[in-house]
Structure formats: structure tokens, C-alpha cells
Amino acid sequence: MIGHGVPGLDIRQEHEYPVAAAGVFAALTLGLDAWWPVDERVIGPEGHLSLTAQLGAPLVEEAPGGQAAIWAVVDLVEPDRRLYLSGWFGVNGVVAGRVHFDLTDLETGSRLKLSHQAIGPVSEDVHSRRRAQWRRILDTSLREHLSGLSV
């Protein structure tokens, strides 16, 4: 529930990384397929993700054999600072959703603020699982990917 009995998602998280915001931004866009967990893809492990940091660009998952899904579309981009997307983002039951990535440079790296809000018939169980999935995706998978980059 997102409040007042409306079903959906309201997830907010913050993560700090030992690399500049530009490195995180590049990983969230052009480098997405390299680190996004294969078991967190809609099509499955054979799916490949792509996203460019351009207004109107789709976040697409494609697999051999023609399977494809559009997870979301970029509706705000400020290179190295903000990336906002609108769409279902792979969550069954979502009618409308938004995922915001806000980045800030720090002396020792950067901070990423995630906001994932959506409306639709999403159960509390799915909400809890998605919150844990975001933590795993951003605090484990992305962190491991970024570990080879420098500030």
C-alpha cells in the first residue's frame, strides 16, 4: 500500500559508492546489462538490458528468439545527476510507475537516492520483495560492478 488504502509501491533508498556520480550514471545507463542480476530480469537469464540517457529512450529487455519487454521510458535526464523513468519496471500488477535515480557527488564518491513509486494491485508481499530486490540490485550488484572504478 502506498497510503490511504491505495495499492502500489513506495520505496525509497540511499546508497553511497566510492566512485563519482558520473561513473554511477554510466552504469545505470550504458553499462546496465553488465551488472543487473540475470535473475531479476522479466524475460529471464537470456534477456539483455539496454538504456541510453536520452529523453524518450526505452529501457528494453530483449532475448534471442524475439522476446522483448519495455520496462520504462526516460522522461527526465540530467547527465551525471538525475535519471527518471516512467513505466511498470518489471513489477507485475503495476498500472503506472516512476523510478527516480538522483545522484550527488561526495568527497569520497557519490550518493544515489532511489525512489520507486507505483500504483496498481501490488500485494504487500510483492512490495516487501521489491524493496529487498532494490537493496540487492543497488547495494550488492551495482557496488560490485563499481568496485573496479576510481573516484
Side-chain angles (χ1 to χ4, degrees):
M1 296 285 174
I2 58 174
H4 304 293
V6 177
L9 299 172
D10 186 11
I11 299 169
R12 296 166 197 273
Q13 296 179 3
E14 289 188 20
H15 303 273
E16 291 186 7
Y17 304 100
V19 299
V24 178
F25 190 86
L28 289 170
T29 54
L30 299 176
L32 189 64
D33 190 62
W35 61 269
W36 195 276
V38 295
D39 61 340
E40 297 290 352
R41 299 178 188 211
V42 173
I43 293 173
E46 67 279 4
H48 293 282
L49 296 171
S50 63
L51 176 65
T52 57
Q54 296 178 344
L55 196 61
L59 168 51
V60 176
E61 181 180 355
E62 297 179 282
Q67 287 179 293
I70 295 176
W71 287 29
V73 174
V74 174
D75 59 22
L76 186 143
V77 60
E78 292 180 33
D80 306 336
R81 292 196 57 229
R82 288 187 178 83
L83 181 66
Y84 292 4
L85 301 107
S86 294
W88 71 302
F89 228 84
V91 181
N92 290 325
V94 166
V95 175
R98 305 227 350 126
V99 172
H100 292 183
F101 298 108
D102 289 292
L103 293 158
T104 306
D105 276 314
L106 305 172
E107 284 186 26
T108 59
S110 61
R111 176 180 296 119
L112 168 66
K113 290 184 180 181
L114 162 79
S115 171
H116 185 176
Q117 296 179 309
I119 57 171
V122 177
S123 69
E124 285 297 320
D125 181 53
V126 169
H127 189 277
S128 295
R129 276 192 320 231
R130 180 52 61 158
R131 181 181 311 281
Q133 287 168 325
W134 272 121
R135 186 147 316 278
R136 176 179 163 237
I137 289 166
L138 298 175
D139 203 37
T140 302
S141 298
L142 179 56
R143 183 173 308 283
E144 288 173 2
H145 174 74
L146 294 171
S147 66
L149 303 178
S150 62
V151 177

